[in-house]
Amino acid sequence: MASAQNTRERLLDAAEGLFFQEGIAVTGVDRVAEAAGVAIVTLYKHFGSKDNLLREVLARRLAAWTRHWDAALAAATTPGGRLLSVFDAIESFRAAAGATQWCCFLATASERAVPDAGAGDPVFALIRQDTRLVAGRLGDLAREALCADPDGVAASILLLYNGVLSSLLRGEPADPVAHARAVARSVIDASPREPASGA
Amino acid sequence: MASAQNTRERLLDAAEGLFFQEGIAVTGVDRVAEAAGVAIVTLYKHFGSKDNLLREVLARRLAAWTRHWDAALAAATTPGGRLLSVFDAIESFRAAAGATQWCCFLATASERAVPDAGAGDPVFALIRQDTRLVAGRLGDLAREALCADPDGVAASILLLYNGVLSSLLRGEPADPVAHARAVARSVIDASPREPASGA
DNA sequence: GTTATGGTATAACGGTCGTTATGCAAAGTA
DNA sequence: TACTTTGCATAACGACCGTTATACCATAAC
């Protein structure tokens, strides 16, 4: 009845929910399989190992997050609005994904011992990829907006972005996205602009 | 040779280092005892259980963090400086404590399944206590500084505080404390003040 | 010299973990 | 009909987990 694709996604859904609501190490593969309504053997047929399952969950999240941000980016019109689109993306992502606890990449990073010089570990590679995506895009958007100090503006917004995520974990302040967007807007407005020098 | 007090603190030191650098669930009690240079039996003589050990580590961290903030608070002179003292406290705490990965309370919250309505669990009680400390103090300081919207200012600074902590975990932006302090200062400066109406 | 204290080593317990092997049942496809 | 795919149930493995029991060894105080 259930196609292979369907089973895969149900396993990924179950793992995503359990890993980031109860903790990765604490969640056994048996509970993931049970929540997905499949046998443990099927889980291993599909993913080979728990670590591999985690990797695919993170990869899927990264792809979904990128899509949401792309959409929010496309909806923004002004350069300042494009810089603020990260926060719109957080809201739309959380609304669509059912608001899993907080940031799955930071949660994973917090739970796993950082490997020697970050070598090898493909899970940590995904975490770094997420960081590069956010930091890189914010820098590009700040340059797009002709900020005189694009790296400084990008760093401030990345700080606020991280603040929103961990505030969701802490539960306070309530509605961190709205606060972050307001502070970010004032940071952008206060930032001096480069004269748009023609090439 | 080693006094009981000494052994206790060595165990707490070892647990603090391992729990928050490698993860709580992943770190076995044997590794904690080994790192402290004591026998596993001694660990259980002192703390009774792993969960109790974690609880005492968190309590000690909360007390140390409060002391650092108190000191930074005493060193500040202006109302605005008192609001910004959280960030000084982060720096002095990390300089003194050897910069354990990031915030031990958020790390614990991330790794443990949130209990039903937060009932009972003494570990989560400590996490909530930390949140209340920071949020409450920031609100008081904002009122002290006669901000017209003290709760809004406190929320923004708490957001930046959370941002600093998770930025330390992510590793980017580098030097988040300096960025947070700068943004917080502009938030405070831009915030309208209440006329100091006499009682 | 006895007693209390703080610590050790060894070993075991029940449990859970990630993982794999074996064998069987259904369903689609040719 | 025959074959491949996809999934199931059962069981077991080796390892590690948190925890406890038992017995022994120092030191120092009374």
Side-chain angles (χ1 to χ4, degrees), chain A residues 52-70:
Chain A
N52 219 316
L53 173 60
L54 171 63
R55 202 187 319 173
E56 298 221 20
V57 169
L58 291 178
R60 198 181 62 157
R61 276 278 277 244
L62 184 58
W65 162 243
T66 306
R67 274 195 309 275
H68 275 273
W69 195 358
D70 283 339

Side-chain angles (χ1 to χ4, degrees), chain B residues 34 107 147:
Chain B
E34 186 193 355
C147 296

